[in-house]
Every structure is written in C-alpha cells, then in structure tokens.
Amino acid sequence: HVQLVESGGGSVQAGGSLRLSCAASGYTYSSYCMGWFRQAPGKEREGVAAIDSDGNPSYADSVKGRFTISKDNALNTLYLDMNSLEPEDAGMYYCAAGGTTYCSRGDCRCSVKVPDYGDWGRGTQVTVS
C-alpha cells in the first residue's frame, strides 16, 4: 500500500518562499517518477514539477527558475522549494508517484501530466497574498 503524505504548506506574501515535503512509504521510492501537482479552486489539477530516479527534474513553464524539485532517497522524501511566490501559485499541492517517463532524441524526462501518475497524497494548502 503506497502512502504519500505532504507537509509544509502555509500562507505567505507574494515574493516569499515555502518548502513542501512529501514522505513516501510502501513504495519502491527510487525507481519511478515522482512529482508535484497543484489545483486552484475552480481549476483543473496541473503539473508543477517531476523528478526521475536519477534526480533529473522536469518543470512546468510557469515555475521554471522559481521552483526546485529534489528528493532524499535515504529519507524517502520528495521536496519542492518554491521561491518568488505569486498569487497565481496558490492552491492545494499534491505529491504523486508512479509517473511515466517520456523520451525525445535520447533525452528522457518525467511527465508532469496528471493522467500519468497513479498514486496521490491528500495535499497541502498554499496561500499567497
């Protein structure tokens, strides 16, 4: 049974920073893509960032240069460092696992598409004012 538990959400002012964490258990943590997704009220869930077993990241265009995804295999924990937060970044942030990898011309990256992930946490709320 896979369990993903997010933490670290909160309320910050625009321009501020937050670090989200996702503790994974019951899962072959290091073998597959893991990612962060978010959902604002009234909007569809969207991909934010993903990372493969080797630590190679993928990012949505909207967060490139501001967010950093990383993981600690020893702690089975996934992180998302969010800087220069904007009101548009607000929403429920979800951790997901079991993602798909896509390759183009030998460059393989984890998907940041919602349908490509099968296991989900319950989310942590981020508010930006």
Side-chain angles (χ1 to χ4, degrees):
H1 174 66
V2 177
Q3 187 173 19
L4 302 170
V5 180
E6 302 92 337
S7 62
S11 181
V12 296
Q13 292 186 336
S17 300
L18 279 175
R19 184 180 226 203
L20 305 184
S21 300
C22 171
S25 61
Y27 175 71
T28 307
Y29 175 82
S30 62
S31 301
Y32 302 98
C33 294
M34 294 187 71
W36 287 99
F37 297 78
R38 66 187 181 190
Q39 188 168 16
K43 294 187 177 181
E44 293 186 353
R45 192 173 298 187
E46 63 176 3
V48 174
I51 192 166
D52 69 11
S53 57
D54 292 327
N56 298 307
S58 306
Y59 295 100
D61 289 342
S62 59
V63 306
K64 284 181 180 177
R66 300 188 298 122
F67 290 12
T68 302
I69 189 170
S70 61
K71 62 178 184 173
D72 187 325
N73 289 336
L75 296 178
N76 283 357
T77 302
L78 180 72
Y79 301 101
L80 184 68
D81 289 295
M82 305 186 294
N83 298 310
S84 301
L85 282 162
E86 304 167 354
E88 294 74 21
D89 295 317
M92 186 69 78
Y93 279 70
Y94 298 91
C95 172
T100 302
T101 300
Y102 290 95
C103 298
S104 175
R105 298 182 181 180
D107 181 30
C108 297
R109 297 283 173 169
C110 287
S111 169
V112 289
K113 298 177 181 179
V114 171
D116 290 337
Y117 287 77
D119 297 301
W120 294 84
R122 294 189 174 184
T124 185
Q125 184 70 43
V126 172
T127 303
V128 184
S129 58

